[in-house]
Amino acid sequence: MKQSITLGKVTKFMGLGFLSTLKDLFTGKLEKEGYMNFLRKVAVPLASILLFIGLWHVGAKSLYNREANFKIEKALTDQGLAAAEAMRECIASGDISCQPNTLPSPGQVWDSYKSLLRDHNIISADKAAFIEKTATLNAKRIAEGKAPITYTGRPSFIDQIIMSLKTVFAGFLLALIIAIPIGILIGLSPTLKSAFNWFIQIFKPVSPVVWYLLVFMIVKTILIDSNGDSSFIISFISVGLCSMWATLVNTAMGVSSVDKDYINVAKVLKLGPFQKVFKVILPSSLPLIFTGLKITLSVAWMVLIAIELLAQSPGLGLFVWEEFQNGANDSNSKIIVAMFVIGIIGFLLDRIMLTIQNAVSFNKNEAI
């Protein structure tokens, strides 16, 4: 019984309440009135997914045929009937040299996903072999005070996902460190609010590209004597500066809207400034602060792709750009795989923030 209650809480926090409904269906515990809830939470989403895949397949097939017909007609116009027939046979044979390069079908995307996983396994094996091969030499170099020899091969798709997650969490932490203290000060002082308002209103809508260029100007000068790769530092600082504004504004709003009765109680208890902030103001402001943090994390994940592309940081942004530039037959499929991965990770990050909010806040509102 205790385990069932715990499972219910977890699935509610993660926005996966349909799992409990599905469990009841298969164990025969779903009551009659629960079937409508089952249809709404499980059957309808599954039907919409199947409809989406079906429409995607039909659309991809239509675009494929359109481009194939164009290539055949162009060969007929430019080179004659024989060339057109040769092009038709080449396309029908599946030869990658003449295949239309358009929106990939769901099956092609799935094949590219499996290909990326196989590629990751191969690269991981190469890394392990390299580490084993250089273990003795690196131990000797470290003992002599020299830098160890590191693996410099290309990163796999999984490695690039991990790098993107590191970058976005570093940027999110930077945004949190900057935005929450400033937001508290602004919320507590109308004078500081007036002083900072122009700054927030001007810099909040600035494009991620401009933030990247500003950070690049500063960091490259600070690290001018460094031989290390500064792309990660530039990327996470740019992400943090782009995404911090929602947390700053929401924190200021939360602090300034704390119930005056709470402030009066703090005065009666003769709490000091820090005690008043940490025991009264922050707990009351948590719902709005976490709303800002959720928006900040979402924005950080969205702007990350563009910033990684510009900074040439080995993450998902660079992966998408390289596949687009590559123009190989499966490049479009790999871009779609990256798109789904980006979306799924973004959804999971939002669920994680909701879980943390429900764990530390008295406001247990269920998010959509």
Side-chain angles (χ1 to χ4, degrees):
M1 180 67 180
K2 186 177 180 181
Q3 290 179 343
S4 300
I5 294 172
T6 303
L7 175 62
K9 289 181 178 179
V10 172
T11 53
K12 182 180 178 183
F13 283 165
M14 295 300 290
L16 301 174
F18 70 90
L19 292 179
S20 296
T21 306
L22 198 60
K23 174 177 174 289
D24 290 340
L25 176 69
F26 286 109
T27 56
K29 296 179 181 179
L30 191 65
E31 297 179 359
K32 188 174 181 179
E33 62 271 16
Y35 280 102
M36 287 303 296
N37 191 44
F38 166 76
L39 289 175
R40 181 174 62 85
K41 289 190 174 182
V42 180
V44 172
L46 286 176
S48 67
I49 291 172
L50 293 175
L51 177 63
F52 169 77
I53 293 174
L55 291 174
W56 175 11
H57 177 78
V58 171
K61 188 67 175 177
S62 176
L63 291 172
Y64 177 90
N65 291 335
R66 179 180 174 84
E67 188 165 339
N69 291 332
F70 175 80
K71 291 169 76 77
I72 293 169
E73 290 174 6
K74 184 173 176 59
L76 177 63
T77 303
D78 295 346
Q79 302 175 33
L81 183 60
E85 287 299 322
M87 177 62 70
R88 188 190 305 277
E89 292 175 3
C90 181
I91 292 173
S93 69
D95 188 342
I96 61 173
S97 64
C98 58
Q99 291 300 300
N101 189 19
T102 183
L103 178 69
S105 67
Q108 290 173 311
V109 172
W110 180 250
D111 290 339
S112 291
Y113 166 73
K114 293 188 290 185
S115 172
L116 288 169
L117 288 185
R118 287 194 299 268
D119 184 61
H120 169 70
N121 292 332
I122 292 170
I123 292 175
S124 297
D126 289 343
K127 284 182 181 178
F130 176 84
I131 292 171
E132 183 179 356
K133 184 177 179 180
T134 58
T136 304
L137 178 60
N138 278 337
K140 183 178 179 181
R141 288 176 63 88
I142 292 171
E144 294 173 353
K146 299 179 181 178
I149 301 172
T150 57
Y151 181 81
T152 56
R154 65 183 179 89
S156 71
F157 183 60
I158 305 299
D159 294 331
Q160 289 169 309
I161 292 173
I162 294 171
M163 176 55 71
S164 289
L165 288 172
K166 288 180 180 177
T167 304
V168 81
F169 278 119
F172 176 72
L173 183 61
L174 177 65
L176 185 150
I177 291 171
I178 295 173
I180 290 182
I182 295 177
I184 292 172
L185 292 174
I186 292 174
L188 290 173
S189 171
T191 303
L192 286 177
K193 183 178 180 180
S194 299
F196 275 92
N197 186 57
W198 70 269
F199 183 85
I200 296 171
Q201 299 305 323
I202 289 175
F203 288 102
K204 183 173 64 173
V206 172
S207 166
V209 176
V210 179
W211 278 116
Y212 163 77
L213 294 175
L214 176 64
V215 173
F216 177 79
M217 295 175 201
I218 297 171
V219 171
K220 78 176 181 65
T221 304
I222 294 174
L223 301 179
I224 196 168
D225 294 329
S226 174
N227 295 323
D229 183 13
S230 61
S231 63
F232 173 76
I233 297 173
I234 294 172
S235 294
F236 90 78
I237 293 177
S238 302
V239 167
L241 293 179
C242 286
S243 61
M244 71 177 187
W245 305 101
T247 297
L248 195 158
V249 171
N250 278 50
T251 301
M253 287 178 59
V255 170
S256 62
S257 60
V258 172
D259 195 321
K260 299 302 180 185
D261 290 340
Y262 297 159
I263 304 297
N264 292 333
V265 169
K267 290 179 180 178
V268 171
L269 295 175
K270 297 182 179 179
L271 297 180
F274 286 102
Q275 287 180 313
K276 183 169 70 174
V277 168
F278 287 103
K279 292 187 177 182
V280 177
I281 293 175
L282 276 181
S284 301
S285 307
L286 277 180
L288 270 177
I289 292 175
F290 266 94
T291 299
L293 289 173
K294 283 176 63 181
I295 297 172
T296 288
L297 189 56
S298 298
V299 171
W301 186 243
M302 284 191 293
V303 303
L304 173 71
I305 305 304
I307 287 173
E308 283 185 333
L309 188 157
L310 292 169
Q312 296 293 292
S313 180
L316 285 170
L318 187 59
F319 170 83
V320 170
W321 179 248
E322 287 179 343
E323 289 300 330
F324 176 75
Q325 292 287 87
N326 185 19
N329 189 257
D330 63 346
S331 289
N332 288 353
S333 299
K334 290 179 179 178
I335 290 172
I336 301 297
V337 171
M339 183 187 75
F340 276 106
V341 168
I342 291 167
I344 291 169
I345 291 175
F347 167 76
L348 293 176
L349 291 176
D350 183 78
R351 297 297 95 179
I352 290 170
M353 286 301 300
L354 177 63
T355 304
I356 297 173
Q357 178 179 355
N358 285 333
V360 303
S361 174
F362 57 85
N363 190 347
K364 308 296 184 183
N365 291 333
E366 186 175 355
I368 297 174

